[in-house]
Amino acid sequence: MSILVVGSVAYDDLETPSGRRENALGGAATHFSMAASFFTKVRLVGVVGDDFEQKHIDLLKSRDVDVKGLTIVPGGKTFKWKGKYGLQLNEAQTLDTQLGVFGSFKPVLPDEYKKSEYVFLANIDPELQLDVLRQAENPKLVACDTMNFWITGKPDKLKEVISKIDILLINDGEAKMISGENNLVKAARKVSAMGPKILVIKRGEYGAILFANDKMFYAPAMPLEEVKDPTGAGDTFAGGFMGYLAKTGKIDNENLRKAVICGSTMSSFQVEDFSLDRLRTLTQKEIDARMKAFKELSHFDL
Amino acid sequence: MSILVVGSVAYDDLETPSGRRENALGGAATHFSMAASFFTKVRLVGVVGDDFEQKHIDLLKSRDVDVKGLTIVPGGKTFKWKGKYGLQLNEAQTLDTQLGVFGSFKPVLPDEYKKSEYVFLANIDPELQLDVLRQAENPKLVACDTMNFWITGKPDKLKEVISKIDILLINDGEAKMISGENNLVKAARKVSAMGPKILVIKRGEYGAILFANDKMFYAPAMPLEEVKDPTGAGDTFAGGFMGYLAKTGKIDNENLRKAVICGSTMSSFQVEDFSLDRLRTLTQKEIDARMKAFKELSHFDL
């Protein structure tokens, strides 16, 4: 089944201990789309300026990502983010943000997108997320991401979004902020009570925890010998996770667990190189092998 | 098989968001002994003052811990540690340390302890750890813990210890300090090359990673609704881990993984109450149920 993603498409200037990149393809919707495309067809809604390069549109098309929903604004500038990571690689320091055309983004779903059964609302203004939900016609499964900026800046609109979705993918700190609870289990229960029956807590190098149907699933992150660029790891995780759910159409505990491993697998590749470079060359065989490596990493018998 | 532990026996003044305790039984060797006692017989070498209460000796004896090696110094004061935890519970702030008789601790192994096949050197001065190794007669498996204080303070002696042991149990930061590597996988490889073929990286609420025989195993920590007191979690982990290995006598990958889960299980109980209160009442049935909960927490099918 096709999956609809709405979010940022951007160019990044990156600096990590492994090097620098300028004008590297980035943005939440981009990372999500590339990752999900290994599992299902993707429909992307976003906005860029006419500085957005054709080769990047071609890259998305080559992965069967439908870019009919990607608006190109003549004379406009694509969203630009400049960030730097320290040795620990766990958090980016934002050096500069130029919203460009993304600052006045009003997502409009092409007619044929409106019946998308699977929807991912990447981290954007909750008012825009609500706009998308109004346009979507009876989706089967809606997932959403957000960030501290919206949790503190637009708490009521964000709560309205959260009340309408099925799956929330956020990190530890965001779950604690939204719930006002310092304990993660209590925070998860409180957030779930606000709407999303399924909660995925992303913990970067420490993996992810799935809370669903009164059960917890703790997926490790793959310990890697080299992490070149963590940018987009969370969106890539979401792409693998949602892509697998859209492909298989089953939302039971067993399938949700496998979806988390798909997400972990995709983000483990993502961080191995700058921008989307690793995903460009990734093969199904490599994905299958990494999934098996996750099984080997976490398996034990009693 | 009996397991020998050498380390601190202490009284703690604790403050956590859940409350306070004064003169609570603590110390690395105490926590280790109590946890390991659920799997095997334990021989404890340590030192206390004559302020050490009989009821605490009785508690250890009630768990079949041999305290022949616990020296009671007449007129001496037991090691006293005062610490406080913030809301995150991940690191204690030491408010006061009174070494007392522990300041001049010279571990002496009773003759019948010298042939112990399993040895755990808790976090003490590496010179004392070497002393113990000189007294131990051909042990089958030696494990060791340490801390940043010794890594920077006595690096050469610590390296000598590390070169002589089979298993090192440390945290992320310590592995990076010892190796000078910021990447955990590279750090683990470097530390293993210094001696210990088996390395367990403890990550608190994020679980533990076992590096052994060129394989990694990532064990989750159990997400808990209430953590009252994290003191001794690492030593309790070591007690469950080593206790299980001593009980079963097998050091292959499969058994090492199960030992890590035993360690995680014991420390998940340990933090549920202050001091050793949870372990006092713990039953084998509860341990078995928690082990199964760990399996359920991390299991997935491909």
Side-chain angles (χ1 to χ4, degrees), chain A residues 14-21 83-93 226-231 271 274, chain B residues 182-183 186:
Chain A
L14 304 162
E15 187 180 338
T16 84
S18 301
R20 294 160 163 272
R21 289 292 165 95
K84 187 178 169 175
Y85 296 84
L87 273 180
Q88 298 309 322
L89 289 165
N90 48 4
E91 209 173 351
Q93 182 192 355
E226 187 161 45
V227 173
K228 282 194 179 165
D229 175 15
T231 310
V271 301
F274 280 89
Chain B
N182 238 298
N183 175 282
K186 286 181 186 163

Side-chain angles (χ1 to χ4, degrees), chain B residues 118-183:
Chain B
Y118 295 84
V119 176
F120 182 65
L121 307 169
N123 167 34
I124 48 172
D125 185 332
E127 298 202 47
L128 301 188
Q129 293 177 324
L130 289 170
D131 258 2
V132 173
L133 290 181
R134 276 186 286 267
Q135 295 173 61
E137 292 171 6
N138 200 23
K140 183 174 164 185
L141 195 75
V142 179
C144 164
D145 186 11
T146 190
M147 69 183 295
N148 48 10
F149 184 75
W150 306 119
I151 297 170
T152 52
K154 296 202 177 179
D156 293 338
K157 290 291 170 191
L158 180 61
K159 274 176 191 160
E160 194 180 337
V161 175
I162 289 178
S163 74
K164 292 173 189 291
I165 60 169
D166 305 291
I167 305 179
L168 184 64
L169 295 109
I170 48 179
N171 67 33
D172 293 55
E174 290 158 356
K176 291 173 183 179
M177 275 178 89
I178 291 173
S179 63
E181 279 286 351
N182 238 298
N183 175 282

Side-chain angles (χ1 to χ4, degrees), chain A residues 151-223:
Chain A
I151 297 170
T152 52
K154 296 200 177 180
D156 294 337
K157 289 292 170 190
L158 180 61
K159 275 177 191 159
E160 195 181 335
V161 174
I162 289 177
S163 74
K164 292 173 190 290
I165 60 168
D166 305 291
I167 305 178
L168 185 63
L169 296 109
I170 48 179
N171 68 32
D172 292 55
E174 291 158 356
K176 291 174 183 178
M177 276 179 89
I178 291 173
S179 63
E181 279 285 351
N182 238 298
N183 176 282
L184 189 63
V185 181
K186 286 181 186 165
R189 189 175 303 132
K190 241 177 163 170
V191 172
S192 274
M194 295 164 75
K197 292 291 157 270
I198 299 161
L199 187 62
V200 180
I201 305 292
K202 299 174 288 180
R203 304 175 121 187
E205 66 165 317
Y206 301 114
I209 306 186
L210 166 75
F211 295 85
N213 308 310
D214 289 321
K215 299 273 185 198
M216 294 185 290
F217 171 56
Y218 196 131
M222 183 62 65

Side-chain angles (χ1 to χ4, degrees), chain A residues 87-88 172 176 182-183 185-186 189 203 205-206 209 215-218 220-221 223-226 254 257-258 261 291-292 294-302, chain B residues 87-88 172 176 182-183 185-186 189 203 205-206 209 215-218 220-221 223-226 254 257-258 261 291-292 294-302:
Chain A
L87 273 180
Q88 298 309 322
D172 292 55
K176 291 174 183 178
N182 238 298
N183 176 282
V185 181
K186 286 181 186 165
R189 189 175 303 132
R203 304 175 121 187
E205 66 165 317
Y206 301 114
I209 306 186
K215 299 273 185 198
M216 294 185 290
F217 171 56
Y218 196 131
L224 297 167
E225 266 201 74
E226 187 161 45
E254 196 183 329
R257 286 174 177 226
K258 197 169 163 190
I261 297 298
M291 300 268 293
K292 273 190 199 133
F294 268 97
K295 179 82 181 161
E296 199 180 280
L297 179 67
S298 54
H299 180 79
F300 65 91
D301 286 311
L302 286 186
Chain B
L87 274 179
Q88 297 309 323
D172 293 55
K176 291 173 183 179
N182 238 298
N183 175 282
V185 180
K186 286 181 186 163
R189 188 174 305 130
R203 304 174 121 190
E205 64 164 320
Y206 301 114
I209 306 185
K215 299 275 183 196
M216 295 186 288
F217 170 56
Y218 196 130
L224 296 168
E225 266 200 72
E226 187 160 44
E254 196 183 331
R257 286 175 177 227
K258 196 169 164 189
I261 297 298
M291 300 268 292
K292 275 190 196 132
F294 267 98
K295 179 81 182 164
E296 199 179 279
L297 179 68
S298 55
H299 180 79
F300 64 93
D301 286 310
L302 286 186

